[in-house]
């Protein structure tokens, strides 16, 4: 619509009245109309009754832009509360690039209680043992919070909350008898910050810890975690892979950035670490073996030679035997090469 098309006695998006066509005529004479027609084209004055002006079903909507935004937000949060899975699915989605850089390192104590694998990029720890972490964030703004949550790693389980199994959560368990009731369902506990809040939203459990400036002489924020259930427990994690999600939040609980740590709570960290590392390397070996097998020439060639000298004759047979034996070991196809290797042995005097 050209800039000079004026609506008759209606309210624009800013809530201010515009001129009617009678007022429009009073503002411009015939000469002005002709100048505008010559410059921009068209025929003036416009017949506003022929203009297709979109009309809102609710006219009051035009005068209540801010209230409309509020209503949209209310509907959004209402839908979020009604959807049990929304909270966690949102948590695991990629977030926008943040100026904050949240990092952590491990404290002292690796050994029998816990061990980290560089191969599988996973932490292995015994139940009820302390995992010491050291957090840093840049810029080192104050008034922030760190949310710690144990979540399932695989996409098909992400919407399910991670809680302790029935056996470990039972009140007959001596550990629970001295535990604050709000903490009993939580697998993860923070043991060095009593001001931490144990939060629950849509059955998903997390710990919210206020971050403060590093102590004098320290360059990090210490966080000591304990775990009160195992990944192998049937009525709890039920052998499903898990990860710790650390989320940096502001005072309004807005997500600033996050980082993750795959973790397994088990009885023998070193054994499970070794098993996972083997599983990580075996597929690579299998792929190499398959590649070698597929590229090997399996066509059988018949060779008839007259060799001078017994020593040279035996050397030819030995060379042929060594080549095929090496190929059998390289490809793993021992059964394929065995008849030909046996034939050389039978012909060797």
């Amino acid at each position: 619509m050209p800039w000079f098309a004026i609506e008759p006695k209606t309210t624009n998006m800013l809530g201010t009245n515009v001129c009617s066509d009678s007022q429009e005529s009073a503002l411009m004479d015939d000469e002005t109309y002709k100048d505008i027609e010559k410059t921009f084209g068209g025929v003036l004055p416009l017949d506003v009754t022929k203009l297709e002006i979109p009309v809102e079903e609710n006219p009051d909507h035009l005068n209540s832009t801010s209230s409309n935004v509020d209503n949209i937000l209310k509907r959004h949060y209402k839908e979020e509360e009604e959807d049990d899975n929304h909270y966690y699915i949102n948590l695991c989605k990629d977030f926008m690039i943040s100026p904050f850089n949240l990092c952590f390192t491990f404290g002292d104590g690796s050994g029998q209680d816990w061990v980290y694998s560089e191969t599988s990029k996973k932490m292995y720890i015994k139940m009820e043992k302390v995992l010491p972490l050291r957090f840093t964030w840049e810029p080192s703004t104050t008034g922030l919070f760190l949310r710690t949550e144990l979540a399932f790693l695989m996409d098909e389980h992400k919407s399910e909350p991670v809680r302790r199994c029935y056996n470990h959560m039972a009140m007959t368990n001596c550990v629970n008898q001295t535990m604050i009731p709000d903490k009993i369902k939580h697998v993860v506990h923070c043991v060095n910050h009593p001001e931490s809040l144990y939060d629950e939203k849509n059955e998903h459990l997390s710990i919210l810890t206020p971050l403060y400036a590093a102590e004098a002489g320290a360059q990090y924020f210490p966080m000591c975690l304990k775990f009160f259930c195992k990944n192998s427990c049937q009525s709890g994690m039920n052998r499903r892979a898990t990860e710790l999600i650390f989320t940096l939040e502001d005072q309004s609980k807005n997500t600033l950035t996050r980082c993750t740590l795959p973790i397994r709570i088990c009885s023998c960290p070193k054994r499970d670490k070794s098993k996972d590392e083997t599983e990580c390397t075996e597929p690579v070996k299998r792929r190499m073996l398959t590649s070698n097998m597929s590229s090997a020439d399996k066509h059988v060639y018949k060779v008839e030679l007259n060799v001078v000298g017994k020593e040279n004759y035996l050397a030819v047979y030995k060379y042929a035997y060594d080549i095929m034996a090496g190929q059998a070991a390289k490809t793993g196809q021992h059964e394929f090469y065995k008849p030909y290797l046996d034939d050389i042995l039978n012909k060797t005097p």
Side-chain angles (χ1 to χ4, degrees):
M1 183 185 293
W3 64 272
F4 49 80
I6 303 175
E7 299 180 16
K9 281 191 180 180
T10 187
T11 305
N12 64 11
M13 290 299 291
L14 297 177
T16 55
N17 292 327
V18 296
C19 300
S20 66
D21 51 5
S22 60
Q23 290 170 320
E24 180 189 64
S25 300
L27 291 173
M28 292 184 285
D29 54 20
D30 292 340
E31 247 178 71
T32 305
Y33 279 133
K34 288 179 182 178
D35 287 341
I36 294 174
E37 288 174 1
K38 186 176 179 182
T39 305
F40 298 99
V43 179
L44 296 177
L46 294 175
D47 185 357
V48 295
T49 60
K50 295 181 180 179
L51 295 178
E52 294 183 3
I53 303 173
V55 180
E56 294 284 346
E57 293 181 4
N58 180 10
D60 294 337
H61 172 78
L62 298 172
N63 293 323
S64 58
T65 305
S66 61
S67 63
N68 238 356
V69 173
D70 291 339
N71 289 335
I72 291 172
L73 289 174
K74 286 177 183 177
R75 286 199 301 271
H76 170 74
Y77 286 117
K78 184 178 179 183
E79 290 171 1
E80 180 177 312
E81 289 173 2
E82 290 175 352
D83 185 357
D84 290 342
N85 297 336
H86 181 85
Y87 167 70
Y88 188 74
I89 293 172
N90 233 10
L91 185 66
C92 290
K93 285 183 178 177
D94 292 334
F95 44 90
M96 61 167 48
I97 297 173
S98 168
F100 288 90
N101 181 26
L102 180 67
C103 300
F104 64 86
T105 56
F106 305 115
D108 300 328
S110 177
Q112 296 297 323
D113 293 342
W114 61 269
V115 62
Y116 179 75
S117 170
E118 290 288 350
T119 303
S120 60
K121 304 298 181 186
K122 185 189 291 187
M123 170 61 66
Y124 302 82
I125 188 170
K126 290 182 179 180
M127 190 176 71
E128 297 183 29
K129 299 299 180 181
V130 175
L131 174 63
L133 297 171
R134 298 169 177 176
F135 285 90
T136 58
W137 62 96
E138 296 177 355
S140 56
T141 308
T142 57
L144 301 180
F145 295 83
L146 182 68
R147 186 180 297 277
T148 304
E149 178 169 5
L150 186 64
F152 289 117
L153 186 61
M154 304 302 291
D155 288 339
E156 57 265 32
H157 304 308
K158 282 188 181 298
S159 61
E160 299 179 34
V162 180
R163 289 187 286 187
R164 297 171 74 191
C165 69
Y166 296 135
N167 288 336
H168 286 126
M169 202 163 50
M171 288 309 299
T172 52
N173 188 335
C174 59
V175 175
N176 297 332
Q177 294 175 5
T178 57
M179 190 179 292
I180 298 173
D182 292 343
K183 297 182 180 181
I184 290 179
K185 288 190 290 186
H186 291 252
V187 176
V188 188
H189 289 200
C190 177
V191 297
N192 64 327
H193 297 295
E195 68 275 18
S196 295
L197 172 67
Y198 287 74
D199 193 18
E200 179 175 359
K201 184 174 182 181
N202 297 335
E203 297 186 358
H204 290 273
L205 308 170
S206 62
I207 306 171
L208 194 63
T209 305
L211 297 177
Y212 49 78
E215 298 176 0
Q219 302 297 321
Y220 54 83
F221 178 83
M223 175 78 82
C224 295
L225 303 177
K226 264 190 181 182
F227 305 87
F228 290 87
C229 201
K230 297 179 183 178
N231 281 79
S232 57
C233 292
Q234 291 186 356
S235 60
M237 289 174 266
N238 199 20
R239 299 187 180 278
R240 289 175 286 184
T242 52
E243 65 178 348
L244 282 169
I245 301 177
F246 302 107
T247 307
L248 190 66
E249 300 181 359
D250 60 17
Q251 293 181 354
S252 300
K253 295 187 178 181
N254 296 315
T255 298
L256 303 177
T257 186
R258 66 170 59 94
C259 54
T260 61
L261 172 65
I263 189 167
R264 177 174 177 79
I265 306 112
C266 53
S267 301
C268 188
K270 286 188 176 181
R271 178 197 62 195
D272 288 2
K273 171 179 175 288
S274 177
K275 180 182 176 183
D276 285 354
E277 287 178 344
T278 302
E279 290 176 354
C280 286
T281 55
E282 276 186 351
V284 177
K285 292 179 180 178
R286 282 197 294 269
R287 284 196 299 271
M288 292 176 63
L289 182 61
T290 303
S291 176
N292 291 331
M293 289 169 62
S294 61
S295 60
D297 184 1
K298 298 178 183 177
H299 184 74
V300 179
Y301 298 88
K302 187 173 180 63
V303 179
E304 292 183 1
L305 294 174
N306 294 319
V307 181
V308 178
K310 184 175 181 181
E311 188 175 335
N312 295 336
Y313 168 77
L314 294 176
V316 170
Y317 270 100
K318 183 178 184 304
Y319 184 68
Y321 184 92
D322 290 345
I323 287 177
M324 287 194 290
Q327 196 72 14
K330 186 177 179 181
T331 61
Q333 293 189 321
H334 299 281
E335 293 299 322
F336 177 79
Y337 286 97
K338 189 177 185 302
Y340 305 100
L341 295 173
D342 290 343
D343 185 49
I344 291 176
L345 293 175
N346 293 332
K347 288 181 180 180
T348 303

